[in-house]
Amino acid sequence: MVMYNVSSYNTGPFTLSGIPGLEQYHVWISIPFCFIYLVAVLGNSILLYLIAVEHSLHSPMFFFLSMLAVTDLILSTTCVPKTLSIFWFGPQEISFPGCLTQLFFLHYSFVLDSAILLAMAFDRYVAICSPLRYTAVLTPKAIVKIAVGISFRSFCVFVPCVFLVNRLPFCRTHIIAHTYCEHIGVARLACADISVNIWYGFCVPIMTVIIDVVLIALSYTLILCAVFRLPSRDARQKALGACGPHVCVILTFYTPAFLSILAHRFGHSVPRTFHIMFANLYVIIPPALNPTVYGVKTKQIRDKAILLLFPK
């Protein structure tokens, strides 16, 4: 059995080369990327500010929304600044600990986003199906427990991947044909068996997210049953309107995620350039759309945002 001195292999930095095949267009690609990133940072920052200062927004739904905004900022800021530096200045080095840190926060924020959407679905379920028990069920103590629980679960799901990558010997190239470090992309550079990385990295996080999706679907099935039992049309429209922004965010988050996973798993004929471009869009589009969707669809946020931006 070949034994590797792991410490002698992991000392060198990696080089992030950008989007292969599109190097000559990096500067042009950076323009929409930079604009969308600024929209994501500004939109989520305004959302957090409004929720913090407006007492009318101090409810469980908006607490979970603030968690989603923070997680979106982590997701985009983990990757996009480094990506922009590659687009503007060419291939960039990243240290091995820096690469591990980046891949951890990238995947951790993805799993946490999914858990927050599940918590928001539970909030909508209680609000519509048991409105008289809403304040009794979602007490401040219960909300803190949910927040700590989903954060800890997301940490436990993905922190083993960091140790799985850290144990690998990297004795071949240190050039990563990507704009950021992601688990399997880094593991494939190793000169050792990575089947554990592949199985754990694919099965455990994906099964966790699939469980979230099933529970969200169950919540909305029960919500729809309750809504269509309401006596008046206005009440039904109001209930569906309260769920509208959350459904839009769910579709924005899960649709590209599952398309990307299926393309990686089964789309062997899909060019690598498409995979990397799609992966870059995924870390920037949902964080920019989420505050926009809630700002447009939620009257409380829309009114407060208009007063903040246009006080006269």
Side-chain angles (χ1 to χ4, degrees), residues 256-306:
F258 282 116
L259 287 176
S260 179
I261 291 165
L262 291 172
H264 272 286
R265 189 70 184 87
F266 304 108
H268 302 297
S269 60
V270 178
R272 182 165 174 75
T273 301
F274 173 82
H275 285 298
I276 296 174
M277 194 68 181
F278 197 84
N280 277 279
L281 291 174
Y282 181 72
V283 300
I284 194 172
I285 297 294
L289 284 180
N290 290 349
T292 306
V293 167
Y294 270 95
V296 172
K297 294 280 189 180
T298 308
K299 187 177 185 301
Q300 299 109 302
I301 294 177
R302 184 173 65 246
D303 292 345
K304 301 300 181 183
I306 290 171

Coordinates of all heavy atoms in Angstrom, one line a residue, residues 256-306:
P256 N -32.0 25.9 -10.9 CA -30.7 25.8 -11.4 C -29.8 24.9 -10.7 O -28.9 24.3 -11.3 CB -30.2 27.3 -11.3 CG -31.0 27.9 -10.3 CD -32.4 27.3 -10.4
A257 N -30.0 24.7 -9.4 CA -29.2 23.8 -8.6 C -29.4 22.3 -9.1 O -28.4 21.7 -9.4 CB -29.6 23.8 -7.1
F258 N -30.6 21.9 -9.3 CA -30.8 20.5 -9.8 C -30.4 20.4 -11.2 O -29.9 19.3 -11.6 CB -32.3 20.1 -9.6 CG -32.6 19.7 -8.1 CD1 -33.5 20.5 -7.4 CD2 -31.9 18.7 -7.5 CE1 -33.7 20.1 -6.1 CE2 -32.2 18.3 -6.2 CZ -33.1 19.1 -5.5
L259 N -30.6 21.4 -12.0 CA -30.1 21.3 -13.4 C -28.6 21.2 -13.5 O -28.0 20.4 -14.3 CB -30.5 22.6 -14.2 CG -32.0 22.7 -14.6 CD1 -32.3 24.0 -15.2 CD2 -32.4 21.5 -15.5
S260 N -27.9 21.9 -12.6 CA -26.4 21.8 -12.6 C -26.0 20.5 -12.1 O -25.1 19.9 -12.6 CB -25.9 22.9 -11.6 OG -24.5 22.8 -11.5
I261 N -26.7 19.9 -11.1 CA -26.3 18.6 -10.5 C -26.5 17.5 -11.6 O -25.7 16.6 -11.8 CB -27.1 18.3 -9.3 CG1 -26.7 19.2 -8.1 CG2 -27.0 16.8 -8.9 CD1 -27.7 19.2 -7.0
L262 N -27.7 17.6 -12.3 CA -28.0 16.6 -13.4 C -27.0 16.7 -14.5 O -26.5 15.7 -15.1 CB -29.4 16.8 -13.9 CG -30.5 16.4 -12.9 CD1 -31.9 16.8 -13.4 CD2 -30.5 14.9 -12.6
A263 N -26.6 18.0 -14.8 CA -25.6 18.1 -15.9 C -24.3 17.6 -15.6 O -23.6 17.0 -16.4 CB -25.5 19.6 -16.3
H264 N -23.9 17.8 -14.3 CA -22.6 17.2 -13.8 C -22.6 15.7 -13.8 O -21.6 15.0 -14.1 CB -22.2 17.8 -12.4 CG -21.5 19.1 -12.5 ND1 -20.2 19.1 -12.8 CD2 -21.9 20.3 -12.2 CE1 -19.8 20.4 -12.8 NE2 -20.8 21.1 -12.4
R265 N -23.8 15.1 -13.4 CA -23.8 13.7 -13.2 C -24.0 12.9 -14.5 O -23.5 11.9 -14.7 CB -25.0 13.4 -12.2 CG -25.1 11.9 -11.7 CD -23.9 11.6 -10.8 NE -23.9 10.2 -10.4 CZ -23.3 9.2 -11.1 NH1 -22.7 9.5 -12.2 NH2 -23.4 8.0 -10.7
F266 N -24.9 13.5 -15.4 CA -25.3 12.7 -16.6 C -24.9 13.4 -17.9 O -24.9 12.8 -18.9 CB -26.8 12.5 -16.6 CG -27.3 11.7 -15.3 CD1 -28.0 12.4 -14.4 CD2 -27.0 10.4 -15.1 CE1 -28.4 11.8 -13.2 CE2 -27.4 9.7 -14.0 CZ -28.1 10.4 -13.1
G267 N -24.6 14.7 -17.8 CA -24.3 15.4 -19.1 C -22.8 15.4 -19.4 O -22.1 16.4 -19.5
H268 N -22.3 14.2 -19.7 CA -20.9 14.0 -20.0 C -20.5 14.6 -21.3 O -19.3 15.0 -21.6 CB -20.5 12.5 -20.0 CG -20.8 11.8 -18.7 ND1 -20.2 12.1 -17.5 CD2 -21.7 10.8 -18.4 CE1 -20.7 11.4 -16.6 NE2 -21.6 10.6 -17.1
S269 N -21.5 14.8 -22.2 CA -21.2 15.5 -23.5 C -21.3 17.0 -23.5 O -21.0 17.7 -24.4 CB -22.1 14.9 -24.6 OG -23.5 15.2 -24.2
V270 N -21.8 17.5 -22.3 CA -21.9 19.0 -22.2 C -20.5 19.6 -22.0 O -19.7 19.1 -21.2 CB -22.8 19.3 -21.0 CG1 -22.8 20.8 -20.8 CG2 -24.2 18.7 -21.2
P271 N -20.1 20.6 -22.8 CA -18.8 21.2 -22.6 C -18.5 21.7 -21.2 O -19.4 22.2 -20.5 CB -18.8 22.3 -23.6 CG -19.9 22.0 -24.6 CD -20.9 21.3 -23.8
R272 N -17.2 21.5 -20.8 CA -16.8 22.0 -19.4 C -17.0 23.5 -19.3 O -17.4 24.0 -18.2 CB -15.4 21.6 -19.2 CG -14.9 22.0 -17.8 CD -13.6 21.3 -17.4 NE -13.1 21.8 -16.2 CZ -13.5 21.5 -15.0 NH1 -14.6 20.6 -14.9 NH2 -13.0 21.9 -13.9
T273 N -16.9 24.2 -20.4 CA -17.1 25.7 -20.3 C -18.5 26.0 -19.9 O -18.7 26.9 -19.0 CB -16.8 26.3 -21.7 OG1 -15.5 26.0 -22.1 CG2 -17.1 27.8 -21.7
F274 N -19.5 25.2 -20.4 CA -20.9 25.4 -19.9 C -21.1 25.2 -18.5 O -21.7 25.9 -17.7 CB -21.8 24.5 -20.8 CG -23.3 24.6 -20.3 CD1 -24.1 25.6 -20.7 CD2 -23.7 23.6 -19.4 CE1 -25.4 25.6 -20.3 CE2 -25.1 23.6 -19.0 CZ -25.9 24.6 -19.4
H275 N -20.5 24.1 -18.0 CA -20.6 23.7 -16.6 C -20.1 24.9 -15.7 O -20.7 25.3 -14.7 CB -19.8 22.5 -16.3 CG -20.4 21.2 -16.7 ND1 -21.7 20.8 -16.3 CD2 -20.0 20.3 -17.6 CE1 -22.0 19.6 -16.9 NE2 -21.0 19.3 -17.7
I276 N -18.9 25.4 -16.0 CA -18.3 26.4 -15.2 C -19.0 27.7 -15.3 O -19.2 28.4 -14.3 CB -16.8 26.6 -15.6 CG1 -16.0 25.3 -15.3 CG2 -16.1 27.8 -14.9 CD1 -14.6 25.3 -15.8
M277 N -19.5 28.1 -16.5 CA -20.3 29.3 -16.6 C -21.6 29.2 -15.8 O -22.0 30.2 -15.1 CB -20.6 29.5 -18.1 CG -21.1 30.9 -18.5 SD -19.8 32.1 -18.2 CE -20.8 33.6 -18.7
F278 N -22.2 28.1 -15.9 CA -23.5 27.8 -15.2 C -23.2 27.9 -13.7 O -24.0 28.5 -12.9 CB -24.1 26.5 -15.6 CG -25.5 26.3 -15.2 CD1 -26.5 26.8 -16.0 CD2 -25.9 25.7 -14.0 CE1 -27.9 26.7 -15.7 CE2 -27.2 25.6 -13.7 CZ -28.2 26.1 -14.5
A279 N -22.1 27.3 -13.2 CA -21.8 27.3 -11.8 C -21.5 28.8 -11.3 O -21.9 29.1 -10.2 CB -20.5 26.5 -11.5
N280 N -20.9 29.6 -12.2 CA -20.7 31.0 -11.8 C -22.0 31.8 -11.7 O -22.2 32.6 -10.8 CB -19.8 31.6 -12.8 CG -18.3 31.4 -12.5 OD1 -17.7 32.0 -11.6 ND2 -17.7 30.4 -13.1
L281 N -22.9 31.5 -12.7 CA -24.2 32.2 -12.6 C -25.0 31.8 -11.4 O -25.7 32.6 -10.8 CB -25.0 31.9 -13.9 CG -24.5 32.4 -15.2 CD1 -25.3 31.9 -16.4 CD2 -24.5 34.0 -15.2
Y282 N -24.8 30.5 -11.0 CA -25.6 30.0 -9.8 C -25.3 30.8 -8.5 O -26.1 31.0 -7.7 CB -25.4 28.5 -9.6 CG -26.3 28.0 -8.5 CD1 -27.6 28.0 -8.6 CD2 -25.7 27.7 -7.3 CE1 -28.4 27.6 -7.5 CE2 -26.4 27.3 -6.2 CZ -27.8 27.2 -6.3 OH -28.6 26.8 -5.3
V283 N -24.0 31.1 -8.3 CA -23.6 31.8 -7.1 C -23.9 33.2 -7.1 O -23.7 33.9 -6.0 CB -22.1 31.5 -6.8 CG1 -21.8 30.1 -6.6 CG2 -21.2 32.2 -7.8
I284 N -24.4 33.8 -8.2 CA -24.6 35.2 -8.2 C -26.1 35.6 -8.6 O -26.6 36.6 -8.1 CB -23.7 35.9 -9.3 CG1 -23.6 37.4 -9.1 CG2 -24.0 35.5 -10.7 CD1 -22.5 38.0 -9.9
I285 N -26.8 34.8 -9.4 CA -28.1 35.1 -9.8 C -29.1 35.0 -8.6 O -29.8 36.0 -8.3 CB -28.6 34.3 -11.0 CG1 -27.7 34.6 -12.2 CG2 -30.1 34.5 -11.3 CD1 -27.9 36.0 -12.8
P286 N -29.2 33.9 -7.9 CA -30.2 33.8 -6.8 C -30.0 34.9 -5.7 O -30.9 35.5 -5.2 CB -30.0 32.4 -6.2 CG -29.5 31.6 -7.4 CD -28.6 32.5 -8.2
P287 N -28.7 35.1 -5.3 CA -28.5 36.2 -4.3 C -29.0 37.6 -4.8 O -29.4 38.4 -3.9 CB -27.0 36.2 -4.0 CG -26.6 34.8 -4.3 CD -27.4 34.4 -5.5
A288 N -29.0 37.8 -6.1 CA -29.4 39.1 -6.6 C -30.9 39.1 -6.8 O -31.6 40.2 -6.6 CB -28.8 39.4 -7.9
L289 N -31.5 38.0 -7.1 CA -33.0 37.9 -7.3 C -33.8 37.9 -6.0 O -34.9 38.4 -6.0 CB -33.3 36.7 -8.2 CG -33.0 36.8 -9.7 CD1 -33.4 35.5 -10.4 CD2 -33.7 38.0 -10.3
N290 N -33.3 37.2 -5.0 CA -34.1 37.0 -3.8 C -34.6 38.3 -3.2 O -35.8 38.5 -2.9 CB -33.3 36.2 -2.8 CG -33.1 34.7 -3.2 OD1 -33.8 34.3 -4.2 ND2 -32.3 34.0 -2.5
P291 N -33.7 39.3 -2.9 CA -34.2 40.6 -2.3 C -35.1 41.3 -3.3 O -36.0 42.0 -2.9 CB -32.9 41.4 -2.0 CG -31.9 40.8 -2.9 CD -32.2 39.3 -3.0
T292 N -34.9 41.2 -4.6 CA -35.7 41.8 -5.6 C -37.1 41.2 -5.6 O -38.1 42.0 -5.6 CB -35.1 41.7 -7.0 OG1 -33.7 42.1 -7.0 CG2 -35.9 42.4 -8.0
V293 N -37.2 39.9 -5.5 CA -38.5 39.2 -5.5 C -39.3 39.6 -4.2 O -40.5 40.0 -4.3 CB -38.3 37.7 -5.5 CG1 -39.6 37.0 -5.2 CG2 -37.8 37.2 -6.9
Y294 N -38.6 39.6 -3.1 CA -39.3 40.0 -1.8 C -39.6 41.5 -1.8 O -40.6 41.9 -1.3 CB -38.5 39.6 -0.6 CG -38.8 38.2 -0.1 CD1 -38.1 37.1 -0.5 CD2 -39.9 38.0 0.7 CE1 -38.4 35.8 -0.1 CE2 -40.2 36.7 1.1 CZ -39.5 35.6 0.7 OH -39.8 34.4 1.1
G295 N -38.8 42.3 -2.4 CA -39.0 43.7 -2.5 C -40.2 44.1 -3.3 O -41.0 45.0 -3.0
V296 N -40.4 43.3 -4.4 CA -41.5 43.6 -5.3 C -42.8 43.0 -4.8 O -43.9 43.6 -4.9 CB -41.2 43.1 -6.8 CG1 -42.4 43.2 -7.7 CG2 -40.0 43.9 -7.3
K297 N -42.7 41.7 -4.3 CA -43.9 40.9 -4.0 C -44.4 41.2 -2.6 O -45.6 40.9 -2.3 CB -43.6 39.4 -4.2 CG -43.3 39.0 -5.6 CD -44.6 38.8 -6.4 CE -44.3 38.2 -7.7 NZ -45.6 38.0 -8.5
T298 N -43.6 41.6 -1.7 CA -44.0 41.8 -0.3 C -44.3 43.3 0.0 O -43.4 44.1 -0.1 CB -43.0 41.3 0.7 OG1 -42.6 40.0 0.3 CG2 -43.5 41.3 2.1
K299 N -45.6 43.6 0.3 CA -46.0 45.0 0.4 C -45.2 45.8 1.5 O -44.8 46.9 1.3 CB -47.5 45.1 0.6 CG -48.0 46.5 0.6 CD -49.5 46.5 0.8 CE -50.1 47.9 0.6 NZ -49.5 48.9 1.6
Q300 N -45.0 45.1 2.7 CA -44.3 45.7 3.8 C -42.9 46.2 3.4 O -42.5 47.3 3.7 CB -44.3 44.8 5.0 CG -45.6 44.4 5.6 CD -45.9 43.0 5.3 OE1 -45.9 42.5 4.2 NE2 -46.1 42.2 6.4
I301 N -42.2 45.3 2.7 CA -40.8 45.6 2.3 C -40.8 46.6 1.2 O -40.0 47.6 1.2 CB -40.1 44.3 1.9 CG1 -39.9 43.4 3.1 CG2 -38.7 44.7 1.3 CD1 -39.3 42.1 2.8
R302 N -41.7 46.5 0.3 CA -41.8 47.4 -0.9 C -42.1 48.8 -0.4 O -41.4 49.8 -0.8 CB -42.9 47.0 -1.8 CG -43.0 47.8 -3.1 CD -44.0 47.3 -4.1 NE -45.3 47.3 -3.6 CZ -46.0 46.2 -3.3 NH1 -45.5 45.0 -3.5 NH2 -47.3 46.3 -2.9
D303 N -43.0 49.0 0.5 CA -43.4 50.3 1.0 C -42.2 50.9 1.8 O -41.8 52.1 1.6 CB -44.6 50.3 1.9 CG -45.8 49.9 1.1 OD1 -45.8 50.0 -0.1 OD2 -46.9 49.6 1.8
K304 N -41.5 50.1 2.7 CA -40.4 50.6 3.5 C -39.2 51.0 2.6 O -38.5 51.9 2.8 CB -40.0 49.6 4.5 CG -41.1 49.3 5.5 CD -41.6 50.5 6.3 CE -42.7 50.0 7.3 NZ -43.3 51.2 8.0
A305 N -39.0 50.2 1.5 CA -37.9 50.4 0.6 C -38.1 51.7 -0.2 O -37.1 52.5 -0.4 CB -37.7 49.2 -0.3
I306 N -39.3 51.9 -0.6 CA -39.6 53.2 -1.3 C -39.4 54.4 -0.5 O -38.8 55.4 -0.9 CB -41.1 53.1 -1.9 CG1 -41.2 52.1 -3.0 CG2 -41.5 54.5 -2.4 CD1 -42.6 51.8 -3.5

